[in-house]
Amino acid sequence: MGRKVIDNPNLCSLVHAMNIIGGKWKPIIMYLLANGSLRFGKLLMFTPTISKKVLTEQLKELEEDGLIIRQKFPEIPPRVEYSLSEKGKALLPVLKALSDWTMETYGNEIGFEQCRIVTL
Amino acid sequence: MGRKVIDNPNLCSLVHAMNIIGGKWKPIIMYLLANGSLRFGKLLMFTPTISKKVLTEQLKELEEDGLIIRQKFPEIPPRVEYSLSEKGKALLPVLKALSDWTMETYGNEIGFEQCRIVTL
DNA sequence: CCCATAAGTCACCTTTTTGTAACCACTATT
DNA sequence: AATAGTGGTTACAAAAAGGTGACTTATGGG
């Protein structure tokens, strides 16, 4: 059928990007860590509708991809802090641009109820 | 338990953004349409591992969210062309920034085999 | 009359993702 | 002796997403 196969680096990196931060919760986790490190329990509270299991999985993947750093303190009860790596910090402007685009494009349609933050 | 609930617009819009373009194929479809309109069949060829059903679904959702425009020509056999709307075009710089970040961050780790483009 | 074509739809099935609840380790407190 | 606190893990169930192949529509060509 006379086909041609060509590489498209931009497309490939977009595919790669979506594999890395395409998960529903990953951008949110990154954003929550933008202002400093957070413990597992705090992250669980700040993303109200996520389950413990899923949060654990997402954090593990983000760590494997080098976007966040997991620091474990040998205390009892245990304490684990998550923070952004340099790679992760470099992604923040992109997330900000995405957030801005969404605000400008969908502004009033965004349902704030779905993503309130709970603090103590 | 003395909790406080606070709105966080940036976070909310990020959640919203991921609902809209978080699908595995959506950024790729947008990117393919960056240079002009494409027919359904072409889109199907350009994204080799997507199935007809899934492509249909993704296109429908993108259209519902106002990112792409579907133009149907009353011909036999039918012809349908998809193109970016203004909203969609406004997202392109963000996708570009994401692509750039991925290249800079993961450069050589990106598997080009997975996302070659097939043309006639 | 039969086939091909483009852009889907539909029914059915498999795979992946997500949720739920229980459990663990270790120590301090009650 | 029982309980609480933290950061998980595990088994199981439910839901969502994705794949496959047949079918549709209308018409022109052989």
Side-chain angles (χ1 to χ4, degrees), chain B residues 48-72:
Chain B
T49 71
I50 199 173
S51 74
K52 219 173 185 179
K53 199 191 77 174
V54 172
L55 180 58
T56 307
E57 286 167 1
Q58 303 289 298
L59 287 170
K60 198 173 285 176
E61 287 178 23
L62 283 172
E63 196 200 356
E64 282 168 5
D65 289 324
L67 295 181
I68 64 172
I69 293 163
R70 181 178 181 276
Q71 197 179 0
K72 191 177 187 172

Side-chain angles (χ1 to χ4, degrees), chain A residues 27-28 31-32 34-35 92 95-104 110 112 115 117, chain B residues 6-18:
Chain A
I28 287 124
Y31 179 82
L32 289 174
N35 303 319
L92 288 178
L95 294 183
K96 181 67 168 50
L98 184 57
S99 172
D100 289 348
W101 170 81
T102 310
M103 294 261 240
E104 281 162 31
I110 299 173
F112 288 86
C115 50
I117 286 196
Chain B
I6 52 172
D7 283 339
N8 186 327
N10 280 323
L11 195 75
C12 292
S13 55
L14 215 48
V15 172
H16 198 76
M18 293 313 288

Side-chain angles (χ1 to χ4, degrees), chain A residues 9-22:
Chain A
N10 279 323
L11 194 74
C12 292
S13 56
L14 214 48
V15 172
H16 199 77
M18 293 314 288
N19 285 335
I20 289 170
I21 60 137

Side-chain angles (χ1 to χ4, degrees), chain A residues 24-60:
Chain A
K24 187 179 178 184
W25 294 110
K26 288 183 182 173
I28 287 124
I29 293 169
M30 305 279 297
Y31 179 82
L32 289 174
L33 294 177
N35 303 319
S37 66
L38 281 176
R39 303 178 59 161
F40 181 84
K42 288 275 172 195
L43 282 170
L44 197 58
M45 282 198 310
F46 287 177
T47 52
T49 71
I50 200 174
S51 72
K52 219 173 186 180
K53 200 191 75 173
V54 172
L55 180 58
T56 307
E57 286 166 1
Q58 302 289 298
L59 287 171
K60 198 173 285 175

Side-chain angles (χ1 to χ4, degrees), chain A residues 10 13-14 17-18 94 97-98, chain B residues 21 26-32 34 84 88-102:
Chain A
N10 279 323
S13 56
L14 214 48
M18 293 314 288
V94 180
L98 184 57
Chain B
I21 60 139
K26 289 183 181 173
I28 286 124
I29 293 169
M30 305 279 296
Y31 179 82
L32 289 174
L84 293 184
K89 284 176 189 165
L91 183 61
L92 288 178
V94 180
L95 294 182
K96 181 67 169 48
L98 184 56
S99 172
D100 289 347
W101 170 82
T102 310

